[in-house]
């Protein structure tokens, strides 16, 4: 019998291993993980350039009306041809990306990393919302290994990126990014490591969804 569709939404601090943990879960369950590729999907669905979504991605309220759109299709502007430059509110880009996320969740089981997916899919009856954090030293080490930066640079990246993610999430969801009450499960990946954290999330998800993974 085919399993009923479900989604696991992962919020994460920079350097906490949110995406690697999500990839482990996706591999074990045989489902897809969606992260940056949502930008390309949203761009393809809307006819907008991916750069528009990248500029608006996780910017929050700051610069809400500052996203430059290069070429727009008629469904969005009524423009039938030629070259035009327009300003499209970040809220509109968020709505387009939200439609893509909802469409994916209606068709398949999936894992979404970031993108306010837990809020966008708040009416989905079979979702598990997780937030992953980690000890600061472990986050720094992971970032340094990944991008080849200094510890000082890694800490600056952590502060800047987490502030941007919080601003984006709080603005669009009117909830609190990283606050325990916002999610079904919060976990520190430093305690169990990536594989162990994936084990814990899978066990929790199986109980919440009444599934056998």
């Amino acid at each position: 019998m085919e399993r009923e569709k479900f989604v696991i939404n992962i919020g994460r601090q920079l350097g906490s291993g949110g995406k690697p943990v999500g990839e482990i879960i996706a591999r074990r369950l045989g489902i897809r993980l969606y992260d940056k590729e949502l930008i390309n999907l949203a761009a393809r669905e809307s006819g907008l350039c991916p750069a528009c979504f990248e500029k608006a991605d996780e910017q929050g309220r700051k610069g809400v009306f500052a996203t430059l759109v290069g070429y727009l299709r008629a469904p969005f502007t009524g423009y039938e041809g030629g070259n035009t430059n327009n300003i499209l509110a970040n809220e509109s880009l968020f709505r387009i990306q939200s439609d893509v996320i909802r469409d994916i969740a209606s068709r398949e089981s999936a894992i979404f990393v970031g993108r306010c997916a837990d809020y966008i899919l708040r009416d989905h009856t079979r979702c598990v919302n997780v937030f992953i954090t980690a000890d600061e030293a472990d986050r720094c080490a992971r970032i340094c290994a990944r991008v080849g930066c200094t510890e000082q640079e890694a800490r600056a990246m952590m502060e800047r990126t987490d502030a941007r993610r919080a601003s984006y999430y709080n603005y669009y969801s009117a909830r609190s990014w990283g606050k325990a009450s916002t999610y079904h499960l919060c976990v520190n990946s430093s305690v169990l490591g990536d594989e162990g954290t994936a084990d814990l999330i899978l066990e929790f998800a199986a109980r919440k969804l009444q599934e056998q993974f």
Side-chain angles (χ1 to χ4, degrees):
M1 185 175 66
E2 185 179 356
R3 177 184 292 158
E4 191 177 349
K5 297 176 186 65
F6 64 91
V7 293
I8 298 176
N9 302 307
I10 298 177
R12 76 288 185 219
Q13 289 182 308
L14 183 68
S16 65
K19 185 174 180 181
V21 169
E23 290 172 336
I24 292 169
I25 296 171
R27 185 173 64 250
R28 292 188 191 177
L29 296 179
I31 62 178
R32 290 190 61 181
L33 178 144
Y34 291 91
D35 181 22
K36 288 288 187 184
E37 53 273 358
L38 282 169
I39 290 175
N40 291 328
L41 287 170
R44 188 163 66 242
E45 289 292 323
S46 65
L48 308 181
C49 57
C52 300
F53 290 89
E54 289 172 0
K55 288 178 182 178
D57 186 35
E58 297 187 347
Q59 284 183 0
R61 186 165 189 164
K62 197 175 185 180
V64 163
F65 293 101
T67 300
L68 178 65
V69 176
Y71 299 93
L72 299 179
R73 284 184 179 169
F76 292 89
T77 64
Y79 182 67
E80 296 296 332
N83 186 354
T84 183
N85 288 327
N86 295 278
I87 297 301
L88 183 65
N90 284 358
E91 281 94 338
S92 296
L93 297 177
F94 180 77
R95 284 196 295 272
I96 294 167
Q97 187 167 264
S98 297
D99 288 342
V100 171
I101 289 173
R102 281 190 286 265
D103 180 61
I104 292 170
S106 72
R107 293 185 284 102
E108 63 185 84
S109 295
I111 296 174
F112 295 99
V113 178
R115 287 5 186 229
C116 260
D118 59 324
Y119 173 73
I120 292 166
L121 298 175
R122 60 193 179 278
D123 295 326
H124 197 294
T125 58
R126 287 172 57 77
C127 68
V128 179
N129 301 325
V130 180
F131 189 84
I132 299 178
T133 184
D135 293 348
E136 191 171 288
D138 292 334
R139 294 172 62 199
C140 279
R142 192 189 291 265
I143 295 168
C144 289
R146 189 176 69 213
V147 303
C149 63
T150 66
E151 181 178 329
Q152 183 177 7
E153 289 169 334
R155 291 181 186 278
M157 287 174 60
M158 287 160 48
E159 183 176 352
R160 185 171 59 249
T161 302
D162 285 353
R164 190 171 67 244
R165 287 176 178 174
S167 175
Y168 177 89
Y169 184 90
N170 296 350
Y171 175 69
Y172 286 112
S173 73
R175 299 178 179 179
S176 297
W177 182 84
K179 186 176 181 180
S181 59
T182 300
Y183 309 91
H184 298 128
L185 175 68
C186 295
V187 57
N188 184 326
S189 63
S190 293
V191 177
L192 299 175
D194 290 357
E195 293 284 348
T197 300
D199 289 338
L200 178 64
I201 294 172
L202 279 169
E203 181 179 352
F204 180 88
R207 293 192 179 193
K208 183 179 185 299
L209 300 173
Q210 297 182 330
E211 287 280 0
Q212 289 187 342
F213 292 142

